[in-house]
Amino acid sequence: MKYDICIIGSGAGAGPVAYELSRAGFKVLVLEKGGSYQKEDFFKDEIGVCRRSTFTPALDEEQHVIEDIQDDVWTRTPTSKSGWDFWNGNIVGGSSNFMSGYFHRLKPMDFRLKSQYGNIKGANIVDWPISYADLEPYYTKAEKVIGISGKVVKHPCQEPRSTPDFPYYPTSEHRISSWFDTVCAKQGFYSIPTPRAVLPYAVGNRQGCEYAGYCGSYGCSSGAKGSSREALLNKALKTNNLTIKANSFVKKLHSKEGKVISAEYLDKNKSSHKVEARIFVVAAQAIESSRLLLNSANAEFPFGLANNSRQVGENLIFSSGGSGTGEFKYEDFDTKEVEALKQIGPFVNRSLQDWYEIKEKGKSFKGGTIDFLFEHPNAVSRARRAMYDGELVWGNALKKRLLNHFTTRRVFTFEVFCDWTPTDDCFVSLDETIKDKWGMPVAKVRIGSHPHDIKVGEVLAAKAETVLKEMGARNISSSISPAPPANLQAGGCRFGNDPKTSVLDKNCKAHELENLYVSDGSFMPTGGAVPFTWTIYANSFRVADEIIKHLTSMKKKFR
Ligand SMILES: Cc1cc2nc3c(=O)[nH]c(=O)nc-3n(C[C@H](O)[C@H](O)[C@H](O)COP(=O)(O)OP(=O)(O)OC[C@H]3O[C@@H](n4cnc5c(N)ncnc54)[C@H](O)[C@@H]3O)c2cc1C
Ligand code: SF4
């Protein structure tokens, strides 16, 4: 057999497994449906990113179907009609190329949500089969290997750490950050420097951050951002043990007698290939990972691979919450303050976790995280927002509005991250009629949310608004919505100890197959109240250790 391990996908869930296994001397194959790019290929192409799907599939060729509730009826809308889809970046390195890199660890309580707070009516909350202590060494490893910069400060919600501080000091800070700190201190809130998967200085072949601020939705041209491609795959390639096949869409995994025997993929020309390996790892991002398993049904697994429990695709989760904004109008500030506000480049990088647990009327419930930042510098999307700001205008009136929008104020924003409560109304299945250009049924995603999540998000948004008000912002508003953010997906292949209620065991190996692992965010039974990617990276490093043990024991068996 040419490969010890075949990984489907190349993003945050795949990278650590490819990196660790190839460094341990195993032959690794990565099959990635998208093309291959390097940092030199990325530039600030605003039209390409905002108006065209440069790094995601054309929706008339590959789409999703969304089921949401309208007038109490689940309504099915193909995304080729709505234009709203769940693709986030389909190139080598996956959506980690396009992330903003705001990174937080989960807290110990996130691993035992049910025991700590109990179930909520209509929800499927469970404890994780591992604890924070099991994952902590891997959060620390990710800091070092991915390149996570930050600074530990004392605050009541600080999670336990095995090292006193981050291996990389924080990226440069905007002048407004200390302003934010002062206001928070006055209000009795603990301002936290937000950890970032961004290098402040050059390390190896990666340059330090260039501070253009085009992190979210854009590929990083310096290599400072800790994408799976930049931080892991490029280094793993140097071992000569890793082969990456780009433009290779895996349509099916084939199994026999409880083992995956091959992955069937189609190349750019739609020619079909089959590849064998000892171990298979699925990391295609939560929705596509569930879809691949469902599309791999066979006589042994009539409902989909690893799905005799009927759990594949169930309990899909996102990050719930929303965002808000406020305007710092230059006319409200003195010359020095305006000069500070106009500073371009450094990041605000501030978060609040004072309400990670909320206490109300003697009861506690789970809260969340608020990240603070400036509006994305992307001028196309800022102009589009200005267009909808008030009544529709055009011609000179529109020009005047744009000029005003860009020259008289700075927009400060916040993002709220809360748990997306898992329910029976949020899951992935296969659409009965629509197929993609490869001839495979597309994912149908039911996106029901729990009303509890709105309540939590609103508590946090109100707190964030008080900070903006105190800082002197005007026109403050926020929107907490039940709509899922497409870029923060998890669940669908829960891990757990009981094969009847989970797809994966605690090591993320399928209960029902000997050699199948899932290493993206699909394993998460609950998502915590932070963006997911640090946890995905950390868990994938943990799974890599388990696979190395697995392969080593296989070798001993055959000796
Ligand atoms: C604009 C944006 C901003 C973000 N900001 C943040 C942030 O600030 N903080 C944070 O924590 N997270 C952020 N994220 C989320 C982060 O990028 C993801 O959580 C993370 O990349 C998920 O890793 P993954 O391995 O599950 O998926 P991905 O990284 O998307 O990788 C999956 C890969 O699998 C490939 N694939 C899919 N199906 C197949 C198939 N059948 N065959 C072969 N290959 C396949 C895909 O093309 C893709 O390359 C952001 C994402 C975006 C898009
Ligand atoms: S601001 Fe820094 S991390 Fe972000 S894309 Fe630019 S160089 Fe990369």
Side-chain angles (χ1 to χ4, degrees):
M1 219 176 270
K2 204 168 160 193
Y3 300 107
D4 292 305
I5 174 160
C6 169
I7 307 172
I8 294 98
S10 62
V17 177
Y19 176 85
E20 294 287 51
L21 271 284
S22 58
R23 281 161 58 96
F26 295 101
K27 293 289 173 198
V28 181
L29 172 68
V30 164
L31 295 172
E32 165 57 52
K33 81 193 279 290
S36 183
Y37 295 78
Q38 286 302 336
K39 55 177 183 262
E40 298 76 21
D41 301 320
F42 296 120
F43 56 97
K44 314 289 179 275
D45 179 359
E46 299 192 8
I47 300 288
V49 167
C50 295
R51 310 292 295 141
R52 307 207 174 96
S53 305
T54 306
F55 302 111
T56 52
L59 292 181
D60 54 349
E61 295 185 342
E62 297 175 72
Q63 60 179 304
H64 298 111
V65 170
I66 293 177
E67 276 189 323
D68 63 349
I69 203 147
Q70 290 173 20
D71 301 327
D72 282 340
V73 180
W74 288 105
T75 308
R76 175 185 168 280
T77 314
T79 51
S80 56
K81 291 215 169 86
S82 66
W84 187 73
D85 65 274
F86 286 105
W87 298 118
N88 290 301
N90 301 97
I91 62 171
V92 171
S95 36
S96 69
N97 285 292
F98 306 106
M99 66 179 177
S100 309
Y102 292 98
F103 269 30
H104 297 273
R105 296 181 180 206
L106 292 176
K107 316 277 178 200
M109 68 174 82
D110 289 314
F111 293 71
R112 41 166 208 261
L113 216 55
K114 187 168 180 192
S115 339
Q116 188 132 345
Y117 301 104
N119 202 6
I120 297 171
K121 201 169 168 228
N124 302 327
I125 298 171
V126 290
D127 289 349
W128 287 31
I130 60 168
S131 68
Y132 175 80
D134 295 320
L135 206 54
E136 199 286 334
Y138 299 100
Y139 278 123
T140 301
K141 186 173 219 170
E143 276 178 12
K144 188 105 195 30
V145 182
I146 304 298
I148 303 173
S149 55
K151 182 174 165 50
V152 174
V153 295
K154 269 195 179 166
H155 64 91
C157 209
Q158 172 63 48
E159 58 282 345
R161 294 179 53 96
S162 56
T163 54
D165 215 335
F166 286 81
Y168 304 97
Y169 57 71
T171 47
S172 297
E173 274 177 19
H174 196 273
R175 283 156 76 181
I176 205 173
S177 306
S178 60
W179 195 351
F180 179 88
D181 294 342
T182 311
V183 163
C184 287
K186 243 200 232 160
Q187 293 189 312
F189 306 156
Y190 290 85
S191 168
I192 306 169
T194 314
R196 295 293 298 273
V198 175
L199 288 175
Y201 50 84
V203 178
N205 287 338
R206 296 168 61 190
Q207 298 303 307
C209 180
E210 292 164 347
Y211 298 105
Y214 279 71
C215 304
S217 304
Y218 289 82
C220 178
S221 51
S222 70
K225 197 197 287 182
S227 68
S228 164
R229 175 187 51 76
E230 199 61 63
L232 300 163
L233 300 177
N234 283 353
K235 287 185 201 152
L237 281 169
K238 293 199 176 122
T239 62
N240 290 324
N241 288 326
L242 171 64
T243 307
I244 300 177
K245 289 195 180 179
N247 300 304
S248 301
F249 169 75
V250 178
K251 60 179 273 195
K252 229 175 180 160
L253 295 174
H254 295 279
S255 77
K256 200 176 162 190
E257 294 164 8
K259 269 180 89 169
V260 180
I261 49 170
S262 63
E264 184 179 351
Y265 68 94
L266 297 164
D267 66 20
K268 230 181 189 167
N269 307 316
K270 293 197 180 166
S271 301
S272 175
H273 307 264
K274 270 191 186 165
V275 65
E276 296 180 356
R278 286 178 217 284
I279 301 263
F280 289 82
V281 179
V282 175
Q285 201 166 28
I287 289 171
E288 290 300 308
S289 288
S290 282
R291 176 194 174 208
L292 174 60
L293 296 184
L294 295 171
N295 268 333
S296 301
N298 59 27
E300 204 182 344
F301 294 100
F303 309 110
L305 203 59
N307 194 26
N308 287 335
S309 64
R310 308 299 289 267
Q311 288 297 306
V312 171
E314 297 297 312
N315 295 302
L316 180 72
I317 50 175
F318 299 91
S319 177
S320 90
S323 59
T325 57
E327 294 175 357
F328 293 125
K329 298 260 193 197
Y330 297 155
E331 66 194 31
D332 295 343
F333 298 91
D334 66 30
T335 322
K336 245 181 140 182
E337 287 168 334
V338 171
E339 203 184 295
L341 277 171
K342 283 184 173 170
Q343 187 190 14
I344 298 291
F347 300 109
V348 175
N349 276 3
R350 285 294 185 272
S351 306
L352 292 177
Q353 293 192 318
D354 296 67
W355 310 280
Y356 208 78
E357 182 176 58
I358 300 171
K359 292 194 170 82
E360 206 181 73
K361 295 179 192 152
K363 269 189 151 184
S364 299
F365 57 97
K366 182 64 196 307
T369 301
I370 316 169
D371 281 353
F372 292 83
L373 55 156
F374 273 122
E375 181 183 45
H376 195 293
N378 182 330
V380 174
S381 49
R382 284 163 71 197
R384 272 174 71 79
R385 271 197 297 278
M387 244 171 73
Y388 297 110
D389 190 8
E391 63 174 26
L392 183 65
V393 289
W394 58 91
N396 279 340
L398 177 60
K399 282 187 191 167
K400 219 168 138 189
R401 183 185 288 175
L402 291 178
L403 184 69
N404 184 50
H405 198 84
F406 280 86
T407 59
T408 61
R409 71 216 181 116
R410 193 106 198 245
V411 178
F412 199 56
T413 72
F414 62 83
E415 290 178 353
V416 173
F417 299 95
C418 306
D419 286 74
W420 178 281
T421 301
T423 70
D424 288 345
D425 282 333
C426 192
F427 60 86
V428 182
S429 58
L430 297 177
D431 194 67
E432 296 79 12
T433 51
I434 298 180
K435 294 193 172 160
D436 64 11
K437 68 172 177 182
W438 315 102
M440 299 307 288
V442 304
K444 184 164 68 178
V445 188
R446 183 172 284 201
I447 55 167
S449 64
H450 197 290
H452 175 80
D453 303 344
I454 298 285
K455 182 177 144 195
V456 179
E458 283 174 350
V459 172
L460 285 147
K463 300 287 185 191
E465 288 194 15
T466 63
V467 178
L468 263 61
K469 197 167 171 213
E470 200 59 34
M471 288 177 79
R474 272 204 258 162
N475 299 332
I476 299 168
S477 64
S478 55
S479 157
I480 297 300
S481 150
N487 61 344
L488 292 169
Q489 320 173 357
C493 297
R494 276 183 161 188
F495 75 161
N497 293 324
D498 183 354
K500 288 198 198 84
T501 55
S502 55
V503 178
L504 308 173
D505 69 13
K506 68 176 187 171
N507 297 328
C508 292
K509 187 186 80 59
H511 286 298
E512 298 172 4
L513 287 116
E514 233 176 83
N515 63 343
L516 174 68
Y517 289 78
V518 179
S519 69
D520 58 19
S522 306
F523 77 99
M524 294 168 78
T526 55
V530 296
F532 301 142
T533 314
W534 196 349
T535 301
I536 295 175
Y537 271 139
N539 187 61
S540 181
F541 277 116
R542 186 182 71 90
V543 171
D545 274 0
E546 293 305 324
I547 296 175
I548 290 173
K549 280 188 220 156
H550 188 153
L551 279 167
T552 312
S553 75
M554 273 165 112
K555 267 192 183 160
K556 277 189 194 145
K557 225 158 107 187
F558 290 110
R559 217 175 264 158

